[in-house]
Amino acid sequence: MDLGQLKPVNDDTGKENQTSKIIGDQIEYQFALGESFSLSLFGAEFGGKGALPDNTKYEYYKAGIFVAELRVWMGPLFFGVHGGRYFLTWIESLSTYTGLK
């Protein structure tokens, strides 16, 4: 479980956008595939109150990630290849969130 604060900053202008408190959860699990290989799965989902600078229609956002990584172990070190899927959803209000995919 994660709790924190998000403070987005525009790299080009240095302008700080609306600060948002966030809440989220994440899970990671690693499966052994013999002595030298493993598969790691990681997923996280975060949400909070926020607003787009040019469009204040949306009050909340939800962001997440799902990643799979294949690791080759060499003693205590590993080399890995991974891929994943990331998403960001803007939500008008919590009451309109029901059924959103």
Side-chain angles (χ1 to χ4, degrees):
M1 184 76 142
D2 291 312
L3 299 170
Q5 190 168 337
L6 176 67
K7 189 172 195 177
V9 177
N10 184 322
D11 281 343
D12 296 331
T13 64
K15 180 183 175 192
E16 295 178 355
N17 293 312
Q18 177 183 351
T19 300
S20 171
K21 299 211 181 309
I22 60 172
I23 186 167
D25 57 358
Q26 55 185 306
I27 188 167
E28 180 177 2
Y29 193 80
Q30 187 168 218
F31 301 91
L33 304 174
E35 292 185 23
S36 300
F37 296 93
S38 67
L39 176 66
S40 179
L41 301 175
F42 173 79
E45 186 174 74
F46 303 95
K49 188 169 184 169
L52 291 165
D54 297 331
N55 186 350
T56 57
K57 175 181 173 182
Y58 302 103
E59 292 182 49
Y60 299 91
Y61 69 92
K62 184 173 120 176
I65 179 176
F66 181 76
V67 176
E69 180 177 56
L70 180 62
R71 296 176 177 178
V72 179
W73 291 90
M74 296 180 204
L77 301 175
F78 71 85
F79 292 95
V81 176
H82 63 267
R85 182 177 178 135
Y86 307 88
F87 66 88
L88 173 63
T89 303
W90 286 97
I91 306 164
E92 289 181 31
S93 70
L94 291 180
S95 63
T96 62
Y97 184 67
T98 305
L100 184 68
K101 295 182 179 176

